[in-house]
Amino acid sequence: DAKTTQPNSMESNEEEPVHLPCNHSTISGTDYIHWYRQLPSQGPEYVIHGLTSNVNNRMASLAIAEDRKSSTLILHRATLRDAAVYYCILRPPRHSGNTPLVFGKGTRLSVIA
Amino acid sequence: DAGITQSPRYKITETGRQVTLMCHQTWSHSYMFWYRQDLGHGLRLIYYSAAADITDKGEVPDGYVVSRSKTENFPLTLESATRSQTSVYFCASSETSVGKNIQYFGAGTRLSVL
């Protein structure tokens, strides 16, 4: 699996937007970019994923660079409940759900009230 | 809303004892996974299963046994627990539809081996 690079930690003020970067310079043309997050004392949860176009859902937005070598997870208004470790993971589509996730260290997001 | 349930949530055992961690999902997902999470290592795959009676090793399978006689259950057994198996264990399940390559995780089991 291609590798991703994320900052170890980031900090945000409550109710401000947060941009979490991820570099994946060795991404293949068919890899999807997935984001998961892990709240304290909980299992990871899916946030969003995309291939080429920017994506939005109720939790976040995903902005993908034109060359696909980087992406940014955007939380539009951070709340205290968004404090978590965020993981950027590349997923090859050919495995259709059977490939285990390969977790890196992720980015620990702290939200300040 | 369907769910994935792990039990127990907390377990303390002694070295050498056999321990079984349970995982149950109500989605009828074909794929199920066991991960362990240790400080400094993130989540690592122990075993996974593509369907009932089909299992395969992950990154760190030594000392663990799995079985999958029913689609909804995927128990993980530590045959003879060691201190190095003190960890938080997460079970996950996944759909198989193309484009639905998402895993759903349980709340975890925190295991301490004394």
Side-chain angles (χ1 to χ4, degrees):
Chain A
D1 289 336
K3 186 177 178 180
T4 62
T5 303
Q6 300 178 252
N8 289 333
S9 62
M10 292 185 64
E11 200 173 81
S12 173
N13 293 318
E14 197 177 11
E15 297 190 4
E16 289 188 357
V18 182
H19 291 231
L20 298 165
C22 180
N23 288 318
H24 28 78
S25 58
T26 60
I27 189 171
S28 76
T30 55
D31 281 346
Y32 281 77
I33 301 158
H34 283 237
W35 284 80
Y36 282 74
R37 72 178 184 180
Q38 187 173 19
L39 302 172
S41 300
Q42 295 189 28
E45 65 174 343
Y46 166 80
V47 177
I48 199 167
H49 77 283
L51 182 62
T52 55
S53 303
N54 295 343
V55 183
N56 299 295
N57 67 19
R58 63 176 181 82
M59 289 180 70
S61 295
L62 176 60
I64 301 172
E66 196 169 333
D67 64 4
R68 294 194 355 108
K69 292 185 177 182
S70 66
S71 60
T72 302
L73 180 71
I74 302 166
L75 306 179
H76 295 286
R77 288 184 66 208
T79 69
L80 297 177
R81 291 181 59 189
D82 290 322
V85 179
Y86 287 79
Y87 298 98
C88 172
I89 302 171
L90 302 183
R91 306 280 281 148
R94 65 184 182 275
H95 295 289
S96 305
N98 65 357
T99 306
L101 293 169
V102 179
F103 288 86
K105 298 289 179 67
T107 297
R108 183 173 297 278
L109 175 66
S110 301
V111 180
I112 302 168
Chain B
D1 211 14
I4 183 164
T5 307
Q6 292 185 238
S7 60
R9 289 295 315 278
Y10 304 91
K11 177 74 177 178
I12 299 174
T13 191
E14 295 177 339
T15 301
R17 290 192 180 269
Q18 182 178 82
V19 178
T20 296
L21 309 183
M22 304 302 293
C23 180
H24 175 79
Q25 52 106 354
T26 59
W27 279 292
S28 297
H29 286 168
S30 294
Y31 288 88
M32 296 189 74
F33 308 84
W34 275 106
Y35 297 86
R36 60 177 287 175
Q37 185 171 35
D38 307 298
L39 283 174
H41 284 282
L43 283 94
R44 293 181 292 174
L45 181 71
I46 305 171
Y47 269 96
Y48 68 104
S49 169
D53 298 321
I54 301 175
T55 62
D56 210 345
K57 295 179 180 179
E59 181 185 354
V60 289
D62 293 342
Y64 303 96
V65 175
V66 292
S67 61
R68 186 127 179 250
S69 57
K70 293 183 179 180
T71 299
E72 60 267 29
N73 297 322
F74 191 36
L76 176 73
T77 298
L78 288 65
E79 293 187 298
S80 179
T82 65
R83 289 192 180 88
S84 65
Q85 292 177 309
T86 292
S87 187
V88 182
Y89 291 85
F90 291 102
C91 178
S93 70
S94 177
E95 298 178 78
T96 56
S97 302
V98 174
K100 292 284 189 180
N101 198 0
I102 296 169
Q103 288 188 17
Y104 301 89
F105 286 79
T109 294
R110 185 175 295 274
L111 176 68
S112 295
V113 183
L114 305 179

